[in-house]
Amino acid sequence: MSPLPTPGMTRLLSLPMAVVTGLLIGLGFAPMGVWPATLVGVALFTWLLAGRSAGSAAVHGLLAGLALNALTIHWISVLGVPVAVALVAFMSLWFLVLGIVVALLTRTRAWVFLVPAAWVGVETAAGSFPFGGFPWIRLAYTGLDQPIAGWFAWVGSAGVTFLLALGANLLLLAVVDRGLRLRATAGGLAVFLVGAALTLVPHAEPEQHVTVGVVQGNVNRAEKGTGTYARSVTANHLSETVFLLAEERARGGELDFILWPENATDIDPIADDTTREQIETAVRLAGVPIFVGAVMDGPVPDSRQTSSLWWHPETGPGDRYDKRNLVPFGEWIPFREFLLPRLPVLEQIGRQSIPGEGPGVVDAPTDAFEYLRVGTMICFELAWDSTSYDTVRGGAQVLVSQSNTNTYAGTFEVPQQTALNRIRALETGREVIVSTINGISGLVDVDGELSGTTEELTSAHRTFTVPLRTNTNLAVTLSPWLALVVSAAALGGTLYAVATRGGRRRPGRMDNSEQPIGSTQ
């Protein structure tokens, strides 16, 4: 296999092509879901960046990133256009880096494998830095509803990103190298055919099941920002719980516990008597525990924690989990003491959120299951592999997802979060019961299929019976190590390309702006 030829293209054509490439990649993400466009986009990205100088690669990578991010995460503009511009611009810088790395790696003979490794490496970095990163848009998240989805349970999101990019680059190789066309095509198709075959692997059918009532209380949007808003949200969830109980008793059903979403109460129910009474009324009427999403007072003055609190009808509030992955400049302010006096707009964020520690798993005793362990992923946390995998490592027998999507109702954020719930079910080998304040609640089965969904901006309730599982999918163990090893391979390949000045290159047309690093004109 030879280095990839540099495309003979003037900037008048290549710069618009970079924008088109970014848009094609973005079309595979929810709610569009046009995954063949993503494969074409990834292949074009590699071809377009092949062998470019650092400056040219940076510009083309940045343009592709701007197009991709503007398409997929423009929903953040509900917090203000400047916020959206800043986030899109910053996240696009990672594509600037990716562009330079891809340009270098395409000069090596192993580019077909190293370029996919670079995608994993850049995604891993973007999901970690700065301030904990923003791993919301990853190539793997286009892998739903296509044959490659079978890989999620085995190699996780990091592995699926690699395989998607590998499949795209193998198909590119088939186009540019006639001598390898047959083998490259076969290899690319094998990635997807094996993925399709893996979806046929049967799941165990545990004997024990729990029946869970899901409450979507909705909010009175006209009250947002008023003094009555916080209490009305909790009141709405109490009311919808009553409707759930009435329906269950009419049909003779029995619940094991009830699930309320993130921020079902914005007032600490331990410290506030009115809020505590509302929850205790709901628990008393239900006669079963309620897993409450609550904003709690933090461990230091003027702080808060977003928590999931197990509330038992006999013993009251019990085990709790505090959200680990917080939204920077949304739930907490980096360098708060310095920035807050200089940027008064940040006062809208309110009290500083304090992250929790440890896996999102709580002891959740019920009448039928004294030692039940329930795992939760709270909203934004869905984007972090480690947080999701830790629920299984921590012994969760059933998974729930609690979210407050009220701010982003009607935007791309809601279907993208739904897609993340589906991916986490595939990876962890657990059904995921989804509860939102007024987004899309429902049940995701172990095959990633969504059922019993609610409509946005409505109050609703659902009842789901799910098995208690103890299995650990290979993805939970392998994916974190896979991300590190593959990222290291990409770094090593990049250093090699720099050290050898790109090595030998296949002749290709190149204008003066496309000179390799270190060449002279």
Side-chain angles (χ1 to χ4, degrees):
M1 186 168 58
S2 302
L4 186 62
T6 300
M9 185 182 298
T10 65
R11 285 191 175 183
L12 186 63
L13 292 176
S14 66
L15 294 178
M17 179 65 75
V19 174
V20 171
T21 297
L23 293 175
L24 285 172
I25 296 173
L27 285 174
F29 292 90
M32 290 81 67
V34 187
W35 60 267
T38 297
L39 294 177
V40 174
V42 171
L44 282 177
F45 187 84
T46 303
W47 176 76
L48 187 64
L49 273 294
R52 291 185 179 273
S53 67
S56 178
V59 170
H60 287 78
L62 179 63
L63 285 175
L66 287 170
L68 167 63
N69 286 292
L71 174 62
T72 55
I73 60 173
H74 66 272
W75 47 262
I76 201 71
S77 62
V78 300
L79 300 179
V81 173
V83 175
V85 171
L87 182 61
V88 168
F90 179 80
M91 295 308 298
S92 298
L93 293 178
W94 290 109
F95 279 82
L96 181 153
V97 174
L98 181 62
I100 295 173
V101 172
V102 169
L104 287 166
L105 293 177
T106 51
R107 301 177 184 184
T108 69
R109 295 184 179 276
W111 65 267
V112 169
F113 303 101
L114 290 176
V115 169
W119 276 91
V120 176
V122 170
E123 286 185 355
T124 301
S128 304
F129 307 102
F131 312 128
F134 187 79
W136 194 263
I137 296 296
R138 297 166 63 187
L139 193 58
Y141 299 163
T142 68
L144 283 170
D145 302 317
Q146 61 164 299
I148 207 167
W151 284 105
F152 275 110
W154 302 87
V155 297
S157 290
V160 171
T161 285
F162 179 85
L163 291 171
L164 273 170
L166 176 63
N169 281 280
L170 283 170
L171 296 178
L172 172 63
L173 179 63
V175 172
V176 301
D177 194 325
R178 293 181 180 179
L180 293 173
R181 181 163 297 168
L182 183 60
R183 281 181 287 176
T185 301
L189 291 176
V191 169
F192 296 92
L193 291 175
V194 172
L198 290 175
T199 63
L200 303 177
V201 176
H203 305 287
E205 291 299 330
E207 296 181 359
Q208 293 184 313
H209 294 71
V210 291
T211 301
V212 183
V214 176
V215 172
Q216 177 174 299
N218 202 14
V219 300
N220 303 325
R221 293 172 72 83
E223 295 182 351
K224 189 169 179 62
T226 68
T228 60
Y229 177 78
R231 295 205 183 280
S232 71
V233 174
T234 309
N236 287 354
H237 284 81
L238 169 58
S239 298
E240 194 61 32
T241 299
V242 172
F243 290 126
L244 166 68
L245 295 173
E247 182 177 292
E248 284 302 303
R249 286 165 186 172
R251 69 181 185 86
E254 293 186 5
L255 300 173
D256 287 296
F257 69 91
I258 294 172
L259 179 64
W260 282 10
E262 177 193 26
N263 292 87
T265 171
D266 272 340
I267 304 173
D268 189 336
I270 304 300
D272 182 77
D273 291 340
T274 300
T275 304
R276 184 182 186 112
E277 179 59 31
Q278 287 178 310
I279 295 174
E280 289 186 336
T281 298
V283 172
R284 187 167 56 251
L285 290 171
V288 298
I290 296 180
F291 201 20
V292 180
V295 175
M296 313 285 287
D297 293 338
V300 297
D302 196 31
S303 69
R304 62 183 176 182
Q305 291 185 294
T306 300
S307 307
S308 297
L309 182 62
W310 191 260
W311 206 295
H312 195 277
E314 296 180 1
T315 57
D319 204 4
R320 92 184 223 193
Y321 166 70
D322 300 315
K323 188 176 182 181
R324 292 160 56 184
N325 305 111
L326 303 175
V327 184
F329 301 103
E331 293 177 296
W332 69 289
I333 305 172
F335 312 113
R336 183 184 181 94
E337 292 183 0
F338 175 80
L339 291 177
L340 196 57
R342 293 166 176 80
L343 297 172
V345 68
L346 295 178
E347 293 177 0
Q348 299 178 21
I349 296 172
R351 293 179 295 169
Q352 186 86 326
S353 284
I354 307 296
E357 299 178 356
V361 182
V362 300
D363 292 322
T366 69
D367 287 346
F369 302 99
E370 183 179 358
Y371 300 104
L372 180 66
R373 301 272 286 169
V374 175
T376 182
M377 300 166 286
I378 303 178
C379 201
F380 192 53
E381 292 188 320
L382 283 164
W384 275 266
D385 293 349
S386 59
T387 302
S388 302
Y389 301 162
D390 276 353
T391 59
V392 174
R393 298 189 191 108
Q397 299 160 279
V398 61
L399 291 186
V400 303
S401 171
Q402 298 168 286
S403 299
N404 174 8
T405 56
N406 181 48
T407 302
Y408 306 107
T411 71
F412 280 14
E413 191 275 348
V414 176
Q416 286 170 7
Q417 186 167 305
T418 300
L420 281 170
N421 279 309
R422 296 178 59 197
I423 287 169
R424 296 314 181 191
L426 287 168
E427 290 178 311
T428 61
R430 298 282 192 282
E431 286 78 4
V432 176
I433 306 169
V434 183
S435 176
T436 69
I437 280 186
N438 60 356
I440 299 176
S441 303
L443 174 67
V444 184
D445 66 21
V446 285
D447 294 314
E449 297 299 322
L450 192 61
S451 63
T453 54
T454 61
E455 295 183 5
E456 285 190 75
L457 303 176
T458 61
S459 56
H461 58 268
R462 297 288 187 269
T463 301
F464 301 113
T465 298
V466 298
L468 298 181
R469 299 185 183 274
T470 57
N471 60 290
T472 301
N473 279 357
L474 182 61
V476 172
T477 303
L478 178 63
S479 184
W481 293 102
L482 185 64
L484 292 176
V485 170
V486 171
S487 298
L491 177 61
T494 303
L495 294 175
Y496 170 80
V498 171
T500 59
R501 293 188 178 279
R504 295 181 179 180
R505 303 188 49 211
R506 176 177 288 191
R509 190 175 133 199
M510 177 173 23
D511 62 34
N512 288 337
S513 68
E514 316 296 294
Q515 293 281 0
I517 294 174
S519 66
T520 59
Q521 300 183 32

